[in-house]
Amino acid sequence: TTEAQLVEQFCQVLYMQGEYQALKELVLNKRLDNQVRAYWSALLDFWLQDYLGIKEFFAAYQPKNTHDCMICLLANAHLQEKLEFEQAKQLLTQYELKTGELTLLEIAQAIFDQDYKRVVELVDASVNDNIWTRDEMRLYKPRLLAAWALIALGSYDASYGNISAHNLAVGKDYAGHLLNAQLDYAKGSHQYSIYHIEILKEMGASLPVSDYICYLKSLCKTNLVDRLMEVAADNLDIVQTDNELLALWLKVCLSHKKWNEILRMDLVLDLEQQDEFLYPVILAHYRLGMIDQAYKKLQKPIPTHPYAYWKLVAEIAWLMEDRELEKYCYRGMIAIYPEHEKKENMAILSTLK
């Protein structure tokens, strides 16, 4: 038996035991054949709901056993890949499937059909009938498939019950923590969602982008500013991809005067975002004393801009001695925002005539 074969056997043992952290370290640190490394990496990503690696691996290499066919089937069900899903189903016909695997085939079809209620019904019935072996519970995580479907249905208490049952049956693993984080985020329990994500990070898990975005949103909503700035510093490109997150992040930066961070973000904004988030960017330049740059970068206010932006441009125009722009701003503020400082704005405008 070669060292590579021994390592691969050890990978199998760790996977069967749900020791994903140890498995990841082994896969990263040992000299393995590229195909073997790609296989185990794809399986680890699968339980973090990153299904693309499995799809791509089995597009290149034929599944060799029932487990591989099942994982391939589930991945393509989640990805809504009809051709690959049907191919995986066809491959399974060459095997004599156990009761749990036959049920999993039905669950995969319900996932593909996005029939979340059916997923839950199938898992509940199979658990009640006690059809799953301990290995199958760990390998296929039926309780977590039900928890995932219940989150989609908005049945959060039932989802939590399935996650707890999974943890009790096979122990806490990557997949359990991720579902817990998603459940807590969906419920608005952002502090608990952060807790589970940070456990995953400590375990060395590579988070899917969608969950990283939810993690950053939770940090914004709980006002954990130092942690947010630390995490976002190397992930501004991820922040930029989601406008809701970007708005939350900029709001935190504004309220805590993180002007330099706003300027760093400005470098990666697309043209539409530059228009939408003009106010914090111009204000950041202004607060850092970059008045000429703020003046060059600003856009003439229009009725859809907030009052604070009109006021800011008026102030910059005054400093730059652009009386026409200053008058334009005060006229606009009086007309569009009469509820804001109307008397003061009229008094200032009268001095500019």
Side-chain angles (χ1 to χ4, degrees), residues 231-241 249 261 264-265 268:
V231 173
D234 299 321
N235 295 284
L236 292 183
D237 54 334
I238 292 178
V239 178
Q240 183 267 333
T241 61
W249 185 85
E261 283 80 354
R264 283 185 62 217
M265 178 60 76
V268 298

Side-chain angles (χ1 to χ4, degrees), residues 49-274:
Q49 298 179 12
D50 185 352
Y51 306 115
L52 205 54
I54 286 289
K55 174 183 178 287
E56 290 172 351
F57 181 85
F58 287 120
Y61 305 102
Q62 188 85 341
K64 294 178 182 175
N65 51 46
T66 314
H67 166 265
D68 288 358
C69 288
M70 280 295 179
I71 293 295
C72 182
L73 184 76
L74 285 166
N76 286 297
H78 281 288
L79 291 169
Q80 300 284 290
E81 294 285 0
K82 186 171 177 59
L83 177 63
E84 289 87 345
F85 179 75
E86 294 298 334
Q87 286 172 343
K89 261 175 45 176
Q90 186 58 39
L91 284 172
L92 279 163
T93 60
Q94 66 188 297
Y95 298 101
E96 190 173 332
L97 301 180
K98 299 172 189 170
T99 309
E101 291 162 344
L102 287 167
T103 301
L104 197 64
L105 196 59
E106 289 187 82
I107 292 169
Q109 185 66 57
I111 291 170
F112 182 81
D113 295 336
Q114 296 183 310
D115 188 346
Y116 304 116
K117 192 176 176 187
R118 178 73 177 144
V119 172
V120 178
E121 288 169 352
L122 286 164
V123 173
D124 283 351
S126 65
V127 168
N128 288 337
D129 292 342
N130 203 25
I131 68 164
W132 303 99
T133 66
R134 185 176 171 78
D135 281 346
E136 285 173 339
M137 290 289 278
R138 181 174 283 120
L139 286 174
Y140 302 124
K141 311 187 197 305
R143 287 286 207 177
L144 294 187
L145 294 174
W148 166 82
L150 286 158
I151 292 172
L153 292 166
S155 300
Y156 299 142
D157 288 346
S159 179
Y160 180 75
N162 275 280
I163 295 169
S164 298
H166 167 82
N167 293 341
L168 199 62
V170 301
K172 291 183 178 180
D173 56 19
Y174 276 12
H177 281 298
L178 187 64
L179 259 296
N180 242 137
Q182 291 172 343
L183 172 60
D184 287 327
Y185 182 82
K187 287 168 63 179
S189 301
H190 298 291
Q191 194 70 51
Y192 291 110
S193 184
I194 291 167
Y195 167 76
H196 287 288
I197 291 290
E198 296 202 333
I199 287 175
L200 282 167
K201 284 163 69 70
E202 285 168 20
M203 291 170 81
S206 302
L207 290 173
V209 171
S210 58
D211 291 288
Y212 215 92
I213 286 170
C214 290
Y215 172 51
L216 289 166
K217 286 179 182 175
S218 291
L219 289 172
C220 289
K221 290 175 181 181
T222 49
N223 215 26
L224 293 170
V225 182
D226 291 342
R227 186 82 186 105
L228 173 64
M229 293 301 144
E230 179 190 337
V231 173
D234 299 321
N235 295 284
L236 292 183
D237 54 334
I238 292 178
V239 178
Q240 183 267 333
T241 61
D242 186 282
N243 270 13
E244 183 192 348
L245 171 58
L246 180 55
L248 286 167
W249 185 85
L250 285 168
K251 186 178 178 182
V252 171
C253 287
L254 282 172
S255 60
H256 293 272
K257 301 180 181 178
K258 301 287 185 182
W259 310 122
N260 284 306
E261 283 80 354
I262 294 174
L263 294 196
R264 283 185 62 217
M265 178 60 76
D266 183 40
L267 297 174
V268 298
L269 297 181
D270 62 35
L271 289 174
E272 282 187 19
Q273 289 170 329
Q274 286 173 11

Side-chain angles (χ1 to χ4, degrees), residues 318-330:
W318 178 79
L319 286 171
M320 297 301 294
E321 299 183 357
D322 186 341
R323 296 296 170 248
E324 288 307 309
L325 179 57
E326 191 183 359
K327 281 192 279 186
Y328 170 83
C329 288
Y330 279 104

Side-chain angles (χ1 to χ4, degrees), residues 3-17 19-33 36-38 40-41 44 174 203-204:
E3 184 191 357
Q5 287 172 323
L6 284 170
V7 171
E8 192 167 356
Q9 287 169 11
F10 192 34
C11 286
Q12 183 69 43
V13 170
L14 290 173
Y15 183 70
M16 290 296 290
Q17 292 176 347
E19 297 288 343
Y20 296 155
Q21 187 175 4
L23 175 56
K24 180 164 185 174
E25 288 170 6
L26 186 66
V27 168
L28 287 174
N29 296 334
K30 283 287 180 182
R31 271 187 261 172
L32 294 171
D33 175 85
V36 173
R37 178 178 280 105
W40 291 110
S41 295
L44 287 170
Y174 276 12
M203 291 170 81

